[in-house]
Amino acid sequence: MDELKKVERKLTKKDYFVISSMLFALFFGAGNLIFPLHLGQMAGHNWFIATLGFLITGVVLPLLSILAIALTRADGVYDIGLPLGSAFAVTFMALIHATIGPFFGTPRTATVSFTVGVAPFVPKDHQQLALLIYSALFFGAAFWISYNEKDILNRLGKVLNPIFLVLLFLVFFVAMINPLGSANAGYATSAYATSGNAFLNGFLEGYNTMDALAGLAFGVTVVAAIRQLGKKEDKSVAIVTARSGMLGMGAVAFIYFFLILIGAMSLGKFTMSADGGVAFSQIVQHYAGYVGQAVLATLMTVTCLTTAVGLVAAFGQDFHKYFPRFSYRVWMVLSAFASFLIANVGLNEIIAWSTPFLMFLYPLSMVLIVLSIMTPVIKKSRIVYFTTVVFTVIPAFLDFVNALPDVARNTSLVQSLITVRNTLPLSSVGVSWLLPAIIGLVLGLVIYFTKQKR
């Protein structure tokens, strides 16, 4: 241990800034722009309390997911689930990557950039065809760049992403000095009518960012970067992760706060939009006209393309690692093609179908993050993991069923499961898994410490 301490070097402010920037780039994508804006419109005058709930799942939880990777010395999301066996670990890994990848996350990069940047220039009658052409070009480019050399796009991203953020902060500045309306005067939808419901629904809305899942999937990249800077001990890596995370995720929280605020203020000028992409486009056009919209379209396309390249490549790498029958490039083809097909169902449909999966995966991810952080105490005890996850997975599955779109809910089996789910405590606010998870954790800890005592 003393030898390790000798070779560890003290990180400079520049080192911390580099890691913080990496964390910011990892977590801030297309969805992080539109969901808080829409949340502000839904919450109306209860925007602040909704913000607090949103920041827990949108900022705190992703940071904890990175810490979980650091504390367990995990090589990825597979290792987070490994205490429950390889079958569970590979299933959990596949679900995480499919959700943030070709099922929902990757298609969303095309639909968000199209909705925010391109759709305002296309007549409504031709938007479906325009989306088809746009998404084909978009994912064709994403695959080609992933297949060949993505450094060119990454270098462009390092230039264009800061420009995009500067323009975003310019929108914040203009919106503050020339507000669309009073945030505290906006009408709150029924789900956000009371402070308690506003907080809980803000908490659930944070699921849509998918950042806790992304943290589990890509956190190893951040941890590896910290170790390459000279930090060797697990404790040192965790401390650096926490300090850098406070800065990087603090920047994300700052952007979320103003996006939600502007969303609430926009009700003074516009009615609530179908999604945050439309709302953002309306706000930009109000302040900067079609010239601003054209600039936004270009930057959004490149920013989202950079994200899509990373997601397509990451999916190919991890699926080839655990399912080597297909090559890395075959998995990339499947990811890009599936993303293209799903993108063409439209942004609202993608959000509607992603919600059930997030209602299922987020509770599992949260308890696995907590258990991973408890590693110094429970030593990855299988019994603690087993009782906690079993008590979580059943109500989480029932929440999954309850969140299915109407077209999938109208069967006797689904309705029966929803009836059972509605009998659980806190089911009315979407967290029916919480009390069972706590009971499972306590039960597992009692069994674990009783065995240790013997």
Side-chain angles (χ1 to χ4, degrees):
M1 189 67 71
D2 291 335
E3 291 178 1
L4 285 174
K5 289 180 179 177
K6 289 178 182 178
V7 300
E8 283 200 337
R9 75 178 184 88
K10 186 177 180 180
L11 300 190
T12 64
K13 290 182 180 178
K14 181 181 178 181
D15 292 329
Y16 278 102
F17 179 77
V18 169
I19 299 165
S20 300
S21 299
M22 181 184 293
L23 278 163
F24 181 88
L26 175 69
F27 288 119
F28 195 83
N32 306 75
L33 188 68
I34 64 171
F35 289 112
L37 201 64
H38 195 226
L39 174 62
Q41 289 192 326
M42 292 187 292
H45 62 270
N46 279 328
W47 68 273
F48 183 76
I49 191 71
T51 301
L52 297 180
F54 186 85
L55 292 181
I56 292 175
T57 45
V59 173
V60 176
L61 192 61
L63 179 56
L64 291 179
S65 69
I66 297 291
L67 281 173
I69 295 288
L71 287 170
T72 56
R73 295 181 65 89
D75 288 331
V77 65
Y78 175 86
D79 288 348
I80 292 294
L82 196 54
L84 285 168
S86 58
F88 175 86
V90 77
T91 302
F92 184 64
M93 180 278 299
L95 286 172
I96 293 290
H97 271 294
T99 299
I100 65 175
F103 279 12
F104 306 112
T106 310
R108 209 168 66 182
T109 58
T111 53
V112 168
S113 56
F114 176 81
T115 302
V116 175
V118 179
F121 297 102
V122 180
K124 287 188 177 181
D125 293 344
H126 298 92
Q127 287 197 359
Q128 191 62 49
L129 176 61
L131 176 60
L132 180 70
I133 296 170
Y134 177 86
S135 59
L137 295 173
F138 184 94
F139 287 114
F143 172 75
W144 182 80
I145 294 165
S146 301
Y147 186 88
N148 292 283
E149 181 55 66
K150 62 181 178 182
D151 285 348
I152 296 174
L153 190 67
N154 285 339
R155 292 191 191 107
L156 281 173
K158 289 177 181 178
V159 175
L160 292 172
N161 285 343
I163 294 174
F164 174 74
L165 289 174
V166 168
L167 290 176
L168 182 62
F169 283 113
L170 182 61
V171 172
F172 290 167
F173 177 75
V174 173
M176 291 301 106
I177 63 173
N178 186 23
L180 294 170
S182 171
N184 296 322
Y187 171 77
T189 59
S190 57
Y192 294 82
T194 65
S195 296
N197 283 345
F199 177 85
L200 286 167
N201 280 289
F203 178 92
L204 295 175
E205 190 69 16
Y207 288 10
N208 284 317
T209 65
M210 302 187 188
D211 281 345
L213 310 186
L216 290 176
F218 304 129
V220 66
T221 304
V222 177
V223 173
I226 294 171
R227 294 189 185 279
Q228 288 173 5
L229 290 173
K231 291 297 179 183
K232 308 296 182 182
E233 293 184 86
D234 295 346
K235 183 178 178 181
S236 299
V237 172
I239 291 172
V240 173
T241 302
R243 288 177 177 173
S244 303
M246 292 295 288
L247 180 60
M249 298 309 293
V252 175
F254 179 83
I255 292 174
Y256 283 163
F257 177 87
F258 278 98
L259 284 171
I260 295 170
L261 174 58
I262 291 172
M265 292 166 59
S266 71
L267 295 175
K269 178 72 175 179
F270 306 109
T271 57
M272 189 178 75
S273 304
D275 57 71
V278 174
F280 192 72
S281 179
Q282 289 176 331
I283 292 167
V284 168
Q285 284 189 43
H286 174 79
Y287 286 121
Y290 279 100
V291 173
Q293 183 69 45
V295 174
L296 176 68
T298 303
L299 291 174
M300 278 293 289
T301 298
V302 175
T303 299
C304 290
L305 186 58
T306 305
T307 303
V309 167
L311 289 171
V312 168
F315 182 88
Q317 289 166 356
D318 270 14
F319 268 68
H320 174 60
K321 180 178 180 180
Y322 295 104
F323 304 100
R325 176 173 292 185
F326 295 119
S327 70
Y328 162 66
R329 284 175 173 148
V330 169
W331 281 118
M332 282 202 309
V333 170
L334 293 173
S335 176
F337 185 67
S339 299
F340 160 70
L341 293 178
I342 293 172
N344 281 276
V345 306
L347 182 58
N348 289 334
E349 286 296 314
I350 290 174
I351 293 172
W353 281 100
S354 67
T355 299
F357 287 88
L358 295 175
M359 293 296 284
F360 177 71
L361 286 174
Y362 252 82
L364 284 179
S365 299
M366 280 188 261
V367 297
L368 288 173
I369 288 168
V370 170
L371 292 169
S372 298
I373 291 173
M374 292 174 66
T375 293
V377 177
I378 64 173
K379 311 299 182 186
K380 297 185 181 179
S381 166
R382 186 180 179 89
I383 187 62
V384 179
Y385 270 77
F386 180 79
T387 56
T388 306
V389 170
V390 166
F391 275 66
T392 304
V393 74
I394 296 172
F397 175 74
L398 294 176
D399 280 343
F400 164 88
V401 172
N402 184 65
L404 288 170
D406 290 340
V407 67
R409 287 165 58 96
N410 297 324
T411 66
S412 58
L413 175 60
V414 169
Q415 290 300 316
S416 298
L417 291 173
I418 291 173
T419 301
V420 173
R421 179 254 181 198
N422 290 341
T423 64
L424 296 175
L426 302 179
S427 61
S428 61
V429 290
V431 287
S432 61
W433 59 271
L434 184 58
L435 288 180
I438 293 171
I439 293 169
L441 175 60
V442 172
L443 177 61
L445 289 173
V446 168
I447 297 172
Y448 172 73
F449 286 114
T450 300
K451 287 185 175 181
Q452 291 293 98
K453 201 171 184 181
R454 288 176 182 173

